[in-house]
Amino acid sequence: MDLKSKSSHKQYNVAFVGNPNAGKTTLFNSITGSRQKVGNYAGVTVEKVYADVILGQLDVRISDVPGLYSLEPVSADESVAVSVIQSEVDLIVCIIDASNLERNLYLFSQISQLKVPMVVAVTMVDRLAGKGNELDIVALSEELGCPVVAVVGHKEEGIANLRQEIETGLLSLVVPSCEIHSVGIENLRMRLARIGYDVSPEGLSLELQKSEPGFVKYFSEFPELKEDYLKAQESLTGLTVADRFAWAKRVQDRCLSVSGQRKGLSITDKVDRILTHRFFGLIVFTAVMYTVFLSIYSLSQPFMSLIETLFAWMGSKAGLLLSRNELIQSFVVDGIIAGVGGVVVFLPQILILFFFAFLEGTGYLSRAAFLMDRLLGWCGLNGRAFIPLLSSFACAIPGIMAARVMPDAKSRLATILVAPLMSCSARLPVYMLLIGAFIEPKFGAFWAGTALFGMHLLGLMVAIPVVFILNRGILKGKRLPFVLELPPYQLPKWKDVLIALTTRAKVFLTTAGTTILVMSILIWAAGYFPRLPESQKANMEPKLVQQAQLEHSALGRFGKIIEPVFMPLGFDWRISTAIICAFPARETVVPSMGILFSLGSGAKVNELREQLQKAKLPNEKPLFTPWTAVGMMVFFALCAQCFSTLATVRRETGSRKWAYFMFVYMTALAYIGAFVVQLLGKALGN
Amino acid sequence: MITSFGDLKKGMCGTIVTAPSDSDHSKRLQEMGFVPGTEIRIVKVAPLGDPMEVDLRGYRLCVRKQEMSGFEVEVLS
């Protein structure tokens, strides 16, 4: 490419705007394929999905703006979408759902006033045909004053046509010429016409701005004229919601021919009879949720252990290869390979969760939210929070990602912030270790089971007041009324699911992955340096060398320094260090405890349990009482010990602030929780 | 008979007669189509008593009773 053509090269910006559920994403996927990139709009929780394509001769960046019901922004998400539409675009593709014409035209009526070139893409035309209705595309194009293309996104019908119209639109830059009149002014105009006073709508608007319009002289003769005049004056300030809907209704009546009312219930109504039934609906819901949870929880296990084995194998191979230099060996094996492995291991759970995103496309998730809204509504969340919270019991990372189904920024943030309080599968090894060592032998299997159940319940119980407080004081933004569309059921669109799956996996690995890798290398370095002098290592058993090295390292010293902080909880420096080691990933606590209690990182759980039972404080009292064990479990249940989660929060909220906030509040809760347990233990005489 | 929207029962039809005057809350609901003159039908109430499913302008929307309480409906018998 020579310099001249490079300088004249322009990238056009095109935005896909439309109501939620209008088929916008399917259409976006059809046009852009899998070339999508994901970013964040600065400072807000709104995600920017875009793709660069070539249309004819033009280089075009197409953005998929989040679904909107209105251009008058109430929530933060909407403000972003609106400012994008207003400032950055050369052309807007407005997606209109043919089966829901009136409400979709409402949004169009607002967009058309921005005076930006537009193309309208009408979706779900096939659904109209199913009802026996027909849409007159030519008439619609006349009414809207811009090109209209009928498309069936998943069947690629009309896609070539749409690409052509976008290209033409970008070259001609014609803005839509669509006239929407206020009902008040129109009524007045019609009444004036009846008494023989003819005036155009524009002429009347101008006349209304005068202090004394020309028709005032008729007021005495036709008193009702004055009433219409006053009403018309009110609407001079701008179109009301009712004005726009009146226009939308008129356009619909002209363009949509309703041939025959179908008798009986639609398929959606029939399916809904079961799926939102007061008894069967709840049973189906439970079954679906159980399947989702179980899949994330256990279907992922073989894949996760495969990944773990693979990385362990890579670690041992690399260890052998690099055995000449201990520092490089440890850096590669314990720093890089363990760090990357710690990220990749979450991939199966994320993929399984996003596989279940197909439920959203079918319309079932809206029904699930409809069923559950009452249950979640009273603490300030809404029915849609169910999936994110449930997924978090398996792993908070897919749970936090699932919070994107929340309709507004405030409830989404509240859901994200409490999701990691749900007891995830990585906490299980700690519970198993401690319950097996201190609850089961003393109190039997029943109390062991109760303790395990209690630990899972704890997070949920704590989450309720946390959401309540977040909503009252901390999260800003107006509370919007809860509106949830119940669209007709659809078959899942596997192509959309596949694109979402690969995009999400890519985003997780690149954005969250890099943060996690850096953090795990830092923690590795803290545990590795400074080195124990060789002279001290000489006569030690290898297991004890590991312990002595950790004690000697920055991490171990730090554990000892902050021992007084953890003392009130009944934790000594070893537990404190184990807790510090577990901040990057809580599942590492068992191997770290192995090292700290002189068994080495590969310690068997049973040996470790015995060792813990024997462990003593400096004053010869046992380190662990059942209360200390419960305290430590409570600490792990409430603490934000997972870099991957924090990195995901940072990515999903688009700011570090909420990741820090989560870390601080959860760690504080964990400390308080464990302290309360310790106090209870003291009060009840240990 | 004019009733508050929140008091409507399953299967009832009617026309919206008044919408609460300007607040963001009411505006958002109006933008979903609940403007005076709109015909509505209560399709279903969720098993736990709230929210309810409404048929309006050819589509289905789920709203909470309490959040709709300011809207008044002329009920068709």
Side-chain angles (χ1 to χ4, degrees):
Chain A
M1 193 188 292
D2 64 35
L3 209 68
K4 204 175 164 194
S5 74
K6 205 171 186 176
S7 62
S8 65
H9 188 84
K10 173 179 165 47
Q11 191 181 40
Y12 292 91
N13 280 311
V14 170
F16 273 39
V17 187
N19 278 197
N21 299 314
K24 193 163 57 64
T25 300
T26 305
L27 193 57
F28 181 73
N29 288 343
S30 301
I31 292 229
T32 63
S34 50
R35 276 161 294 187
Q36 297 173 14
K37 298 191 187 89
V38 177
N40 261 78
Y41 292 111
V44 277
T45 52
V46 186
E47 196 169 63
K48 189 178 196 169
V49 182
Y50 60 94
D52 295 329
V53 295
I54 305 286
L55 295 179
Q57 301 292 317
L58 306 178
D59 187 359
V60 180
R61 169 163 291 185
I62 302 183
S63 318
D64 188 12
V65 175
L68 286 172
Y69 286 118
S70 157
L71 271 200
E72 286 180 47
V74 186
S75 72
D77 296 25
E78 289 170 325
S79 317
V80 173
V82 172
S83 70
V84 168
I85 296 168
Q86 284 173 338
S87 62
E88 294 167 17
V89 296
D90 301 300
L91 182 134
I92 292 173
V93 178
C94 180
I95 287 89
I96 288 184
D97 173 358
S99 65
N100 194 351
L101 208 51
E102 270 181 74
R103 209 201 56 218
N104 281 257
L105 284 173
Y106 177 84
L107 181 68
F108 173 90
S109 79
Q110 294 179 320
I111 300 174
S112 68
Q113 289 184 324
L114 298 175
K115 299 296 171 202
V116 173
M118 279 177 89
V119 173
V120 169
V122 181
T123 56
M124 320 272 178
V125 191
D126 46 337
R127 203 184 271 171
L128 274 189
K131 280 191 199 162
N133 299 348
E134 210 180 323
L135 183 67
D136 185 342
I137 299 288
V138 179
L140 189 62
S141 178
E142 266 172 42
E143 286 286 349
L144 305 184
C146 68
V148 177
V149 183
V151 291
V152 181
H154 60 285
K155 288 186 190 148
E156 310 280 328
E157 278 174 41
I159 300 297
N161 207 346
L162 179 62
R163 293 172 72 108
Q164 182 60 49
E165 287 295 353
I166 296 174
E167 193 193 341
T168 315
L170 282 171
L171 292 171
S172 62
L173 296 178
V174 180
V175 300
S177 54
C178 147
E179 292 289 334
I180 303 163
H181 303 297
S182 110
V183 178
I185 295 178
E186 198 54 29
N187 282 346
L188 176 65
R189 198 177 72 84
M190 267 148 60
R191 192 177 289 280
L192 285 169
R194 250 177 277 150
I195 61 170
Y197 187 96
D198 278 319
V199 60
S200 69
E202 295 74 28
L204 186 58
S205 300
L206 283 176
E207 202 149 341
L208 279 167
Q209 281 160 21
K210 295 181 192 160
S211 58
E212 196 163 291
F215 49 81
V216 168
K217 55 185 182 240
Y218 301 107
F219 280 2
S220 52
E221 202 176 329
F222 305 97
E224 65 277 17
L225 192 61
K226 186 167 184 186
E227 225 169 88
D228 283 343
Y229 165 65
L230 292 175
K231 274 195 187 146
Q233 255 192 336
E234 272 175 32
S235 50
L236 265 186
T237 46
L239 294 172
T240 62
V241 179
D243 288 339
R244 293 181 190 278
F245 270 111
W247 168 82
K249 178 102 175 74
R250 196 181 57 71
V251 174
Q252 170 168 302
D253 288 348
R254 181 180 161 205
C255 304
L256 191 70
S257 55
V258 184
S259 61
Q261 281 285 345
R262 265 210 324 197
K263 290 188 186 89
L265 293 168
S266 67
I267 296 172
T268 293
D269 281 327
K270 282 181 196 155
V271 177
D272 261 345
R273 274 197 158 174
I274 298 166
L275 294 189
T276 59
H277 187 270
R278 60 178 59 232
F279 179 68
F280 298 113
L282 292 175
I283 288 185
V284 173
F285 172 78
T286 315
V288 171
M289 291 306 132
Y290 187 73
T291 313
V292 172
F293 175 71
L294 208 66
S295 306
I296 298 178
Y297 196 85
S298 49
L299 196 66
S300 58
Q301 290 309 320
F303 298 102
M304 293 175 81
S305 41
L306 190 73
I307 291 172
E308 277 168 350
T309 317
L310 190 72
F311 276 89
W313 175 81
M314 276 165 57
S316 65
K317 282 281 166 202
L320 283 178
L321 269 171
L322 301 168
S323 56
R324 265 200 235 145
N325 186 323
E326 205 193 327
L327 171 63
I328 294 179
Q329 182 194 31
S330 177
F331 174 72
V332 172
V333 176
D334 304 325
I336 295 179
I337 295 181
V340 174
V343 178
V344 178
V345 77
F346 289 110
L347 212 51
Q349 290 181 321
I350 291 172
L351 293 180
I352 292 171
L353 175 88
F354 277 96
F355 168 75
F356 282 103
F358 84 86
L359 285 175
E360 174 81 35
T362 59
Y364 181 71
L365 280 198
S366 305
R367 270 72 183 185
F370 173 70
L371 291 173
M372 284 301 115
D373 183 58
R374 184 70 187 267
L375 214 58
L376 290 155
W378 65 273
C379 68
L381 289 174
N382 65 51
R384 289 185 164 261
F386 203 87
I387 293 266
L389 295 185
L390 187 86
S391 310
S392 299
F393 274 103
C395 176
I397 294 161
I400 288 165
M401 289 178 160
R404 59 183 64 235
V405 300
M406 302 302 288
D408 60 283
K410 191 177 170 183
S411 55
R412 178 167 172 215
L413 205 49
T415 312
I416 288 177
L417 289 175
V418 295
L421 283 174
M422 307 301 124
S423 196
C424 68
S425 55
R427 281 152 167 130
L428 210 56
V430 192
Y431 300 158
M432 296 314 250
L433 174 73
L434 295 172
I435 290 176
F438 301 102
I439 309 286
E440 204 175 356
K442 262 194 190 158
F443 304 97
F446 172 75
W447 284 104
T450 310
L452 189 62
F453 182 72
M455 283 300 135
H456 282 83
L457 202 62
L458 179 70
L460 193 63
M461 290 295 141
V462 170
I464 292 169
V466 170
V467 172
F468 195 80
I469 294 167
L470 284 175
N471 271 328
R472 288 300 136 114
I474 295 162
L475 298 183
K476 303 220 168 52
K478 283 164 244 168
R479 225 185 120 188
L480 296 175
F482 173 67
V483 288
L484 173 78
E485 223 181 313
L486 299 170
Y489 286 107
Q490 276 182 312
L491 290 173
K493 301 199 185 72
W494 298 112
K495 190 184 162 196
D496 290 352
V497 174
L498 194 69
I499 289 179
L501 216 79
T502 47
T503 314
R504 288 303 139 207
K506 229 165 31 190
V507 167
F508 173 74
L509 288 180
T510 51
T511 342
T514 38
T515 319
I516 300 162
L517 184 60
V518 170
M519 292 312 287
S520 56
I521 288 174
L522 287 179
I523 290 284
W524 163 82
Y528 191 82
F529 298 108
R531 302 301 292 161
L532 194 65
E534 287 299 323
S535 56
Q536 284 188 33
K537 277 194 218 168
N539 301 320
M540 273 188 217
E541 265 186 81
K543 280 179 201 167
L544 295 178
V545 173
Q546 268 187 319
Q547 186 192 2
Q549 170 56 47
L550 188 56
E551 209 175 331
H552 187 77
S553 72
L555 204 62
R557 290 178 200 198
F558 186 62
K560 283 200 171 158
I561 291 170
I562 61 159
E563 187 182 17
V565 176
F566 285 105
M567 237 8 196
L569 313 183
F571 301 167
D572 74 341
W573 78 269
R574 287 172 293 188
I575 303 180
S576 312
T577 311
I579 286 174
I580 303 294
C581 290
F583 270 104
R586 53 174 70 87
E587 57 270 32
T588 61
V589 70
V590 176
S592 336
M593 299 256 288
I595 296 175
L596 287 157
F597 289 88
S598 322
L599 291 170
S601 58
K604 294 220 169 59
V605 172
N606 277 335
E607 293 169 3
L608 185 53
R609 280 185 187 142
E610 272 174 40
Q611 198 77 356
L612 293 182
Q613 286 159 352
K614 283 189 272 179
K616 296 241 176 343
L617 286 168
N619 61 11
E620 289 303 306
K621 278 191 183 166
L623 169 59
F624 277 98
T625 66
W627 289 102
T628 325
V630 171
M632 187 169 166
M633 285 194 285
V634 167
F635 191 93
F636 271 82
L638 300 178
C639 197
Q641 289 166 310
C642 183
F643 280 161
S644 307
T645 298
L646 294 170
T648 308
V649 169
R650 184 201 166 308
R651 216 211 76 72
E652 292 289 306
T653 60
S655 91
R656 282 200 181 84
K657 191 177 82 177
W658 293 114
Y660 288 138
F661 176 82
M662 174 182 280
F663 181 78
V664 170
Y665 105 79
M666 284 182 67
T667 308
L669 271 183
Y671 189 89
I672 295 166
F675 185 62
V676 169
V677 171
Q678 182 69 8
L679 283 185
L680 273 178
K682 287 229 171 82
L684 299 175
N686 253 334
Chain B
M1 183 180 71
I2 290 179
T3 322
S4 163
F5 201 113
D7 296 333
L8 295 173
K9 300 276 175 305
K10 181 183 170 179
M12 281 180 158
C13 299
T15 309
I16 296 186
V17 281
T18 45
S21 55
D22 282 332
S23 66
D24 283 339
H25 190 101
S26 159
K27 175 128 196 194
R28 173 45 52 101
L29 290 165
Q30 288 187 48
E31 289 189 308
M32 299 305 293
F34 293 104
V35 293
T38 309
E39 289 172 15
I40 54 106
R41 178 170 67 93
I42 307 298
V43 182
K44 190 170 261 186
V45 177
L48 300 169
D50 202 23
M52 49 194 186
E53 181 181 348
V54 187
D55 189 324
L56 79 157
R57 297 187 183 271
Y59 82 104
R60 301 287 176 84
L61 191 70
C62 152
V63 287
R64 288 179 181 163
K65 287 180 174 177
Q66 191 252 328
E67 293 179 337
M68 289 301 293
S69 58
F71 288 77
E72 288 180 332
V73 177
E74 166 90 68
V75 180
L76 298 173
S77 47

